[in-house]
Amino acid sequence: MIGRRGVLAAAGGTAAALALPGCAPSTGATGQGTTTLTFWSWVPGIERNVALWNRLHPGVRVELEKVAASGGAQYAKMHAALKAGSPPDLAQVEYQMVPGFLLDQGLVDLARHGADRYRARFADWLWQQTVYAGGVYAIPQDSGPMVLFQRQDLFDRWGIETPATWDDFAAAARVVRRRGAHLTSFSPSNPGWFTALAWQAGARWFRAGGDTWLVSVDDEPTRRVTRYWDRLIKDRLVTTQPMMQSAWYAGLQSGDLVSWTGGSWGDALLTGNAPGGAGKWRVRPMPQWHTPGSGAAPSSGNWGGSTTAVFTGTRNPRAALDFAVWLNSDPASVRLLIRGGYGYPAPVSGFTPAELDNRAAYFGGQDYGAVVAASGAAVDRAWTWGPTMDTFFQRLTDALSGAVSDGTPLTATLPGLQARTLADLRDKGLKAEAA
């Protein structure tokens, strides 16, 4: 152990362990009377899953509280509850936020309650994103493999082929711009989106070297991404409208924005916010950095995805684990989550890609679940989240937004971002070096 709080290990437990307090003894899942668990989540429609669990498991009642998932408000509320000693038993926690809760000694090591026996139910790369120093600190729920959503009607009208490479994407942007529209937007205020682009390009910003975090934010794959978008922005081939705001949605509706690289959950976002595009959009694979026929394997990034984590202080860790596993792997529960519009399911069985096509009519009858599944299979499994991602994402947003506002190159922000990230880790008492 290193110091009072220890050092977070990279996924797979390759660094020193984090010092964690012992969790409260389990009272069992189905003892005398009814066990009650509190659960915080923002997933659309998840109340149906909770109602089904309560109907099937009368001895363990789950009480759901919906939390706002805007600007990190949900995590501020969770950290505040931990500090006050009154957290929920379970909560929805995105993968990148798990290490931050570990730094606050806020999560139960579920391996101590038998979580490892469920490992085979879930995609291995997602399971690994919940494992630190040999402990299991959450149960995977879903992921967000990246795909390209495109207005097929306008692509066809303007004679544009689906871009197979990022060079093709830039060429398509020139054609679209000549038609008075924009191919897409570079959104500086969506750090998860930019992270997914760097992830696809081969970036690995954080990894463990013994008891030290190695940081490589200013690496060549990330520079490749920033140089690429620097050119598109300079040539005014793309807008810089923030995603998921009124002007951006208006662009999708009007045909000013004719494509979007987004997570697989984007099908629900488009149908809910651009209803006039019904039948016009299609789901395609992400453009690649390599040339088709080069023999290189397809690559993809991931944007989004959550876990169900159990907080320290719960009096019923085994019951909480049972619910978390059921919620995220039981076929009936997974079908309800799919219906609600969450990302790509984390379990390896109990559903088929075709079941993801529940918005096929909007996408012209396309069986797009197969495209999402192929993207998920192409995500780099070696990616590791660092221990201060909430701070890092804010710094990334500030850096990209500042560059767009000032008209300076995105690439020029990376050395400063690297230096600030190292300083943030060290301020937490962690060892950190440039990779």
Side-chain angles (χ1 to χ4, degrees):
M1 304 288 177
I2 304 298
R4 180 175 65 86
R5 304 179 78 178
V7 178
L8 274 169
T14 58
L18 174 70
L20 291 171
C23 60
S26 170
T27 60
T30 54
Q32 294 290 328
T34 300
T35 295
T36 299
L37 301 172
T38 54
F39 174 42
W40 291 2
S41 176
W42 62 85
V43 172
I46 203 165
E47 56 273 10
R48 293 190 293 264
N49 300 73
V50 171
L52 178 59
W53 165 272
N54 287 337
R55 192 160 63 247
L56 297 175
H57 303 85
V60 182
R61 178 171 181 79
V62 174
E63 294 184 350
L64 173 67
E65 180 178 338
K66 281 293 191 76
V67 292
S70 175
Q74 72 274 41
Y75 298 122
K77 182 175 181 177
M78 291 174 198
H79 282 292
L82 280 167
K83 187 175 181 179
S86 57
D89 294 281
L90 310 100
Q92 196 88 19
V93 177
E94 293 168 285
Y95 295 98
Q96 70 269 20
M97 297 301 177
V98 170
F101 281 104
L102 287 179
L103 275 180
D104 274 0
Q105 301 184 344
L107 301 182
V108 172
D109 179 2
L110 298 175
R112 296 173 55 185
H113 302 282
D116 283 328
R117 67 178 178 267
Y118 302 113
R119 175 174 181 162
R121 296 191 186 187
F122 300 94
D124 185 66
W125 73 279
L126 293 175
W127 186 268
Q128 286 300 325
Q129 290 195 35
T130 71
V131 175
Y132 294 86
V136 179
Y137 293 98
I139 299 300
Q141 181 168 104
D142 66 338
S143 61
M146 293 288 280
V147 294
L148 174 65
F149 298 97
Q150 67 183 37
R151 276 285 301 268
Q152 193 63 50
D153 61 324
L154 296 179
F155 271 55
D156 290 343
R157 184 185 306 169
W158 299 334
I160 304 171
E161 297 289 334
T162 296
T165 68
W166 285 109
D167 285 343
D168 295 340
F169 191 82
R174 293 185 182 91
V175 174
V176 172
R177 195 70 199 99
R178 288 196 295 269
R179 296 288 184 167
H182 295 89
L183 181 60
T184 195
S185 175
F186 178 89
S187 178
S189 60
N190 292 93
W193 173 77
F194 181 83
T195 299
L197 297 180
W199 188 339
Q200 187 212 16
R204 295 178 184 176
W205 290 341
F206 300 93
R207 65 181 189 273
D211 63 353
T212 302
W213 279 100
L214 303 177
V215 180
S216 56
V217 177
D218 186 19
D219 62 1
E220 181 53 32
T222 306
R223 283 177 167 264
R224 186 178 196 180
V225 172
T226 55
R227 287 194 301 263
Y228 178 85
W229 289 96
D230 276 334
R231 290 194 301 272
L232 294 187
I233 294 170
K234 180 181 178 182
D235 293 342
R236 299 183 180 182
L237 297 178
V238 298
T239 76
T240 54
Q241 293 172 340
M243 294 175 186
M244 304 175 203
Q245 295 188 17
S246 296
W248 186 75
Y249 287 128
L252 297 178
Q253 283 273 51
S254 67
D256 180 59
L257 295 174
V258 300
S259 79
W260 173 45
T261 52
S264 56
W265 41 266
D267 61 339
L269 185 144
L270 285 173
T271 57
N273 294 281
K280 301 173 183 177
W281 288 86
R282 299 291 185 274
V283 183
R284 305 300 187 196
M286 280 285 282
Q288 298 293 302
W289 288 106
H290 61 266
T291 303
S294 66
S299 62
S300 189
N302 184 75
W303 180 16
S306 297
T307 72
T308 306
V310 179
F311 284 105
T312 53
T314 180
R315 296 179 58 82
N316 301 284
R318 291 180 189 167
L321 172 63
D322 288 345
F323 171 69
V325 171
W326 176 90
L327 175 68
N328 299 315
S329 66
D330 179 86
S333 179
V334 170
R335 281 194 291 272
L336 288 175
L337 290 170
I338 291 173
R339 199 172 104 197
Y342 84 144
Y344 191 78
V348 296
S349 62
F351 74 99
T352 65
E355 291 182 77
L356 301 178
D357 299 334
N358 55 355
R359 292 172 178 82
Y362 184 90
F363 294 98
Q366 180 190 8
D367 299 331
Y368 62 88
V371 178
V372 175
S375 178
V379 172
D380 181 1
R381 270 63 173 155
W383 180 268
T384 299
W385 294 108
T388 55
M389 291 308 300
D390 51 351
T391 301
F392 176 81
F393 269 11
Q394 186 57 58
R395 293 202 183 279
L396 178 59
T397 298
D398 292 344
L400 298 178
S401 297
V404 167
S405 177
D406 297 342
T408 57
L410 303 170
T411 308
T413 68
L414 297 179
L417 183 61
Q418 167 94 0
R420 285 188 288 273
T421 302
L422 287 167
D424 290 335
L425 292 172
R426 291 164 184 160
D427 286 346
K428 291 287 188 181
L430 304 175
K431 291 185 178 181
E433 297 177 0

